[in-house]
Amino acid sequence: MIEDSLNPPYYAVIFTTVLSDNLNGYDAMAIKMESLAKQQKGYLGIESARSEVGITVSYWEDLDAIVQWKNNIEHMEAREMGREQWYKKYQLRICKVEREYGFNK
């Protein structure tokens, strides 16, 4: 899903990944983490695409909301499983969105 007009300023967490060959449990955990993130204070939305490189962008009201999500126990456990099993590589970037515009036909 492409998020429409989130009223800047807000923050984007860009999570890029390269998956390993062992994806046992990965899809179920991804669904669980998205559902859990939606319950977090300050959560605004998410967009995701996967090819050779996966890109997930989650949107947050402020940096405190991002820290709270990072410190969520279930999210911490999922990150550990990702490092141990699912990811060959990942990179996380946090950006402040100052402006946005788009097109919808």
Side-chain angles (χ1 to χ4, degrees):
M1 176 181 166
I2 296 177
E3 297 294 335
D4 292 330
S5 289
L6 295 175
N7 299 322
Y10 58 89
Y11 288 84
V13 176
I14 305 166
F15 182 54
T16 57
T17 61
V18 176
L19 294 175
S20 72
D21 294 330
N22 182 0
L23 297 179
N24 186 32
Y26 176 79
D27 289 335
M29 184 63 79
I31 291 167
K32 181 178 179 180
M33 288 300 103
E34 184 173 342
S35 177
L36 185 61
K38 288 178 181 178
Q39 299 172 33
Q40 302 300 301
K41 183 178 186 280
Y43 172 86
L44 299 174
I46 194 167
E47 298 172 328
S48 187
R50 174 147 302 284
S51 185
E52 185 176 321
V53 173
I55 302 171
T56 299
V57 183
S58 59
Y59 301 101
W60 301 87
E61 287 180 1
D62 53 38
L63 291 173
D64 185 55
I66 295 168
V67 170
Q68 293 300 313
W69 173 236
K70 179 183 179 190
N71 292 331
N72 177 287
I73 296 295
E74 290 179 83
H75 185 218
M76 291 171 69
E77 292 168 356
R79 285 198 317 269
E80 185 62 30
M81 290 179 72
R83 285 190 289 269
E84 290 176 3
Q85 180 177 334
W86 299 317
Y87 301 123
K88 287 183 184 177
K89 174 182 177 179
Y90 74 78
Q91 188 71 34
L92 190 107
R93 296 169 176 93
I94 299 173
C95 310
K96 185 174 183 181
V97 177
E98 300 280 345
R99 275 187 303 165
E100 69 167 323
Y101 60 90
F103 170 79
N104 188 3
K105 195 171 197 174

